[in-house]
Amino acid sequence: MNLYGSWNVSLLDKGDLAEAIHRHLQSIRKYVRAQDIVDYLAQPNVQQKHGLKKTISLATAQRWMHMMDFRWTKSPSGQYVDGHKRDDVVTYHQKKILPLIAELFIHMRTWKDGLEEASDEPHPHTQHVVLWFHDESTFYANDRCKVYWVHRNKTAKPHPKGEGASLMVADF
């Protein structure tokens, strides 16, 4: 005998409660929480519609998230989309940047293993060109959450590199 009463079916299996919760979570969009289910079921109109006397606990909401195929995990990540393959960008690189680098290359020194100069031949030009490359990092005011409740049917999709205002730090 069960000390806490008798039951054999979850409330999620009765009626359209699971569907209503799914609709509510979809209205929240990407970052859903188990607490959102608790808050949703605390609304008097929802309780009346589904015949509930009170809301559920956070632990129950977390179990229900699993029953509804959500998992607390990293977001499925797709490719970054930043426009570097746009036709105008590709054309600019091929017609302007790469020819310029090729033209400057004859004025540059080349190195073996980064220690000794590759050629002992005198350069026809007296001034050398040093081509500087830099690495950069961008920090965003509203960085994405990496771990949250993800439905099992969620698939990776391309997304922009950042969200919100940004601060770029470059290092040469």
Side-chain angles (χ1 to χ4, degrees), residues 118-144:
S119 172
D120 292 334
E121 298 174 18
H123 295 280
H125 307 283
T126 57
Q127 291 190 356
H128 293 284
V129 172
V130 177
L131 187 61
W132 287 90
F133 296 95
H134 75 277
D135 193 8
E136 64 186 38
S137 295
T138 306
F139 301 93
Y140 293 93
N142 303 320
D143 276 338
R144 293 180 299 278

Side-chain angles (χ1 to χ4, degrees), residues 82-99:
D82 65 358
H84 68 280
K85 291 188 177 183
R86 287 190 342 235
D87 288 340
D88 61 328
V89 175
V90 171
T91 301
Y92 178 75
H93 283 179
Q94 290 176 346
K95 303 278 185 193
K96 299 285 184 183
I97 300 293
L98 294 176

Side-chain angles (χ1 to χ4, degrees), residues 97-159:
I97 300 293
L98 294 176
L100 177 63
I101 291 174
E103 184 180 314
L104 292 174
F105 195 74
I106 62 169
H107 303 281
M108 291 187 222
R109 294 171 136 177
T110 55
W111 303 90
K112 295 181 198 172
D113 300 327
L115 299 175
E116 62 181 275
E117 199 164 356
S119 172
D120 292 334
E121 298 174 18
H123 295 280
H125 307 283
T126 57
Q127 291 190 356
H128 293 284
V129 172
V130 177
L131 187 61
W132 287 90
F133 296 95
H134 75 277
D135 193 8
E136 64 186 38
S137 295
T138 306
F139 301 93
Y140 293 93
N142 303 320
D143 276 338
R144 293 180 299 278
C145 287
K146 302 274 187 212
V147 178
Y148 60 97
W149 287 101
V150 179
H151 193 267
R152 72 176 170 95
N153 293 338
K154 175 113 173 139
T155 58
K157 62 181 180 179
H159 52 86

Side-chain angles (χ1 to χ4, degrees), residues 41-106:
L41 296 177
Q43 298 173 16
N45 61 332
V46 174
Q47 288 181 1
Q48 182 182 13
K49 180 179 179 182
H50 298 287
L52 303 173
K53 296 178 183 171
K54 61 181 182 172
T55 190
I56 60 173
S57 70
L58 183 59
T60 299
Q62 290 170 340
R63 276 195 314 276
W64 283 13
M65 293 287 281
H66 281 278
M67 289 171 64
M68 293 186 298
D69 292 326
F70 285 89
R71 299 294 180 261
W72 183 255
T73 186
K74 279 187 169 185
S75 171
S77 58
Q79 298 175 346
Y80 285 115
V81 179
D82 65 358
H84 68 280
K85 291 188 177 183
R86 287 190 342 235
D87 288 340
D88 61 328
V89 175
V90 171
T91 301
Y92 178 75
H93 283 179
Q94 290 176 346
K95 303 278 185 193
K96 299 285 184 183
I97 300 293
L98 294 176
L100 177 63
I101 291 174
E103 184 180 314
L104 292 174
F105 195 74
I106 62 169

